[in-house]
Amino acid sequence: MKNLFIILFLGFFPFSLFTQQIYITNSISSADIVVYVTDNFWEADLCVMRVNNFGEAQGNDGYWYFTNTIVNADKQVYFTDRIEQVDLVIYYVNSISQVGWQNQLKKKLLR
């Protein structure tokens, strides 16, 4: 009965299971997402806040925890300086109120 409850709970709340534990890869071919960091807030698809604890990176809201081990990562990210080859443009923020998606169509990239 307990297992049935857990399965039902997870089935009703699948989006709460997403985390944003990021591993930075040096190879564009092994990356799940190619990312460009912009200096302009209005150009970003996602406003990201770096967090120090992986528990703070729950959800798909823009709180990123960078891990040193590929095994713990939810996504492998390659950072590039060329905006024309990217999947996602991000802007780093320091305020919780600024974190979030500006382009909802790109949200599926981190699921």
Side-chain angles (χ1 to χ4, degrees):
M1 184 68 167
K2 184 179 179 181
N3 290 339
L4 179 61
F5 175 76
I6 291 171
I7 291 170
L8 288 173
F9 178 78
L10 295 178
F12 285 116
F13 299 102
F15 298 109
S16 65
L17 299 177
F18 296 121
T19 61
Q20 292 177 338
Q21 294 186 51
I22 307 298
Y23 176 80
I24 300 172
T25 181
N26 293 326
S27 168
I28 195 167
S29 62
S30 65
D32 296 314
I33 304 169
V34 179
V35 174
Y36 175 80
V37 179
T38 182
D39 293 329
N40 302 310
F41 177 81
W42 62 86
E43 290 180 335
D45 298 315
L46 176 63
C47 294
V48 172
M49 178 179 274
R50 295 178 77 151
V51 295
N52 296 324
N53 184 323
F54 71 89
E56 296 174 299
Q58 300 299 315
N60 187 2
D61 300 320
Y63 297 96
W64 284 12
Y65 174 76
F66 289 90
T67 181
N68 294 326
T69 56
I70 196 168
V71 176
N72 295 332
D74 298 301
K75 293 291 179 184
Q76 293 184 51
V77 172
Y78 178 81
F79 286 94
T80 183
D81 293 332
R82 301 181 64 190
I83 195 166
E84 57 274 356
Q85 67 183 38
V86 302
D87 301 312
L88 186 67
V89 178
I90 67 167
Y91 177 78
Y92 285 113
V93 297
N94 294 319
S95 171
I96 292 172
S97 65
Q98 293 178 315
V99 174
W101 289 94
Q102 297 195 119
N103 183 348
Q104 293 292 324
L105 296 175
K106 300 279 184 125
K107 195 170 186 175
K108 63 184 177 193
L109 292 172
L110 292 177
R111 290 196 175 154

